Amino acid sequence: MIDFSQIPSPCYVLEDRLLRKNLELLQYVQQQAGIEIICALKGFSMFSTFPMVRQYLAGATSSSLHEARLAFEEMGSKAHVYSPAYLDKEFDELLSYSSHISFNSLNQFEKFKEKSIANGISCGLRINPQYSEVETDMYNPCIAGSRLGITRNQLGDTLPEGIEGLHSHTLCENDSYTLERTLKAIEERFGDLLKQAKWLNLGGGHLITRADYEPEHLISVLKGLKSRFPNLKIILEPGSAVGWRTGYLTSTVLDIIDSQGINVAILDVSFAAHMPDTLEMPYKPKILGAHQEPVAGKHTYRFGGMTCLAGDFYGDYSFDEPLKIGDSIVFDDMIHYTMVKTTTFNGVNLPSIGIWREDDTFDLVKSFGYESFKDRLS
């Protein structure tokens, strides 16, 4: 439904109507399960949409001082905060933007507990249930040597004085059945402590807005959890689920070359700088109008970015018609974990940011230039 000819290249484009659809589903889960869902800014920080997000979700979760300040200033609410460690020089300011702070270790809690409690912060501990179904080690917080969370053997039979909640995050784009099995592990190891807590934050990684997700099963799982621990307030903090399939990254073919028998199309975007999760996760991004895998007899191209990094490319795609220099290439599902991870490596410019409004008009929200590159340097 989008007229991409109205949109500059390169540009991240969010569709208002798709974001609203996701938010309506998340709000439904909140209401039916009797829980809170807050937006994880590490996955979705497009603050120009926060007025809409705030209509549906209970707030935001942050991983740093800057994210907490963004939530406070642009969403109008204090943040739930978790970081592996906090900086002395930032902590006083962080307190002013926070309602809940989860600590990664007992050392960190002991260091900051007096200031936190004095400022009315609800303090929690991140736990490691030593169970995760995440297959990519880079995203698995339960592997041996993980620095994220406290294992059961490090805690006694009672919660430390001043701790009101527990925080567990071991999912990554998983479904409610994975959550159900994860909760079993959490309850086996930390069930006695859950009975002493006021809240349980189950982190992110709940891909509730994916087409094959079963929200009703999630609701039943959460209701069951609440029936077993009626003292607990339950919090979920997805990021991907908020921005999932809500928009695109537009790009343009700058050149087409023959590289030892492989047709390579060079774009005005970079996989490494503008969509790094495609290389880190990794996953193959979808291109609108293309065959996502090579098809014999079709026109096949390997797409590469404009940085000097040899690995700044991703995959082969086929088209019914040959590509030409100047053609538009549109990547789907490019809103979550993209803008938050962009870099200006090689001095490449950042894509613009825009919104396709519900009245079918395009709003160019922000463009970048030399100053965005220079401001990161000295």
Side-chain angles (χ1 to χ4, degrees), residues 73-256:
E73 292 183 351
E74 300 295 337
M75 199 173 283
S77 61
K78 291 190 174 183
H80 294 236
V81 181
Y82 163 77
S83 175
Y86 298 102
L87 299 176
D88 288 310
K89 63 182 180 181
E90 293 182 351
F91 200 76
D92 287 347
E93 185 180 357
L94 179 67
L95 290 171
S96 66
Y97 305 132
S98 307
S99 60
H100 296 64
I101 296 180
S102 292
F103 295 92
N104 190 61
S105 71
L106 293 173
N107 290 336
Q108 283 279 291
F109 172 60
E110 289 298 327
K111 182 175 183 178
F112 294 111
K113 71 175 183 181
E114 290 186 10
K115 279 187 176 182
S116 299
I117 294 170
N119 281 271
I121 302 296
S122 182
C123 297
L125 294 175
R126 176 161 177 172
I127 57 173
N128 177 355
Q130 297 172 274
Y131 179 90
S132 176
E133 298 182 21
V134 178
E135 296 179 355
T136 304
D137 281 354
M138 183 176 182
Y139 296 94
N140 186 345
C142 296
I143 60 173
S146 170
R147 71 192 192 287
L148 304 177
I150 301 170
T151 53
R152 186 62 180 88
N153 64 301
Q154 296 175 286
L155 294 170
D157 295 332
T158 59
L159 287 176
E161 185 177 354
I163 290 295
E164 295 186 339
L166 297 178
H167 180 175
S168 176
H169 182 173
T170 67
L171 279 65
C172 180
E173 297 188 356
N174 292 126
D175 61 20
S176 56
Y177 294 92
T178 304
L179 173 62
E180 190 172 34
R181 293 186 290 271
T182 302
L183 282 173
K184 183 179 179 181
I186 292 174
E187 292 180 41
E188 286 176 352
R189 290 181 170 85
F190 297 93
D192 57 332
L193 299 182
L194 289 176
K195 292 177 181 178
Q196 305 168 31
K198 293 182 179 180
W199 51 265
L200 172 63
N201 186 326
L202 289 169
H206 315 271
L207 199 45
I208 302 167
T209 52
R210 188 172 60 193
D212 61 352
Y213 197 97
E214 298 180 24
E216 297 302 332
H217 180 255
L218 172 64
I219 291 167
S220 69
V221 168
L222 294 172
K223 283 184 173 180
L225 177 64
K226 291 184 65 178
S227 71
R228 295 188 297 277
F229 300 95
N231 55 302
L232 284 179
K233 178 180 180 179
I234 308 299
I235 305 157
L236 305 185
E237 45 179 44
S240 291
V242 177
W244 183 258
R245 304 209 65 168
T246 57
Y248 319 91
L249 175 58
T250 63
S251 66
T252 301
V253 177
L254 301 180
D255 199 5
I256 300 173

Side-chain angles (χ1 to χ4, degrees), residues 219-332:
I219 291 167
S220 69
V221 168
L222 294 172
K223 283 184 173 180
L225 177 64
K226 291 184 65 178
S227 71
R228 295 188 297 277
F229 300 95
N231 55 302
L232 284 179
K233 178 180 180 179
I234 308 299
I235 305 157
L236 305 185
E237 45 179 44
S240 291
V242 177
W244 183 258
R245 304 209 65 168
T246 57
Y248 319 91
L249 175 58
T250 63
S251 66
T252 301
V253 177
L254 301 180
D255 199 5
I256 300 173
I257 61 175
D258 181 343
S259 176
Q260 303 176 70
I262 298 173
N263 289 321
V264 177
I266 300 175
L267 305 174
D268 62 350
V269 293
S270 164
F271 292 89
H274 302 148
M275 35 183 151
D277 259 16
T278 63
L279 304 181
E280 293 175 1
M281 188 63 177
Y283 74 95
K284 189 174 186 178
K286 181 180 180 181
I287 294 176
L288 301 188
H291 300 277
Q292 306 310 306
E293 298 297 335
V295 177
K298 301 286 186 181
H299 304 279
T300 300
Y301 302 86
R302 180 167 297 170
F303 286 94
M306 55 189 299
T307 72
C308 68
L309 180 66
D312 190 4
F313 72 90
Y314 209 99
D316 297 348
Y317 300 78
S318 291
F319 293 79
D320 294 333
E321 300 295 331
L323 293 180
K324 305 181 300 296
I325 293 173
D327 279 350
S328 176
I329 299 295
V330 180
F331 293 92
D332 193 14

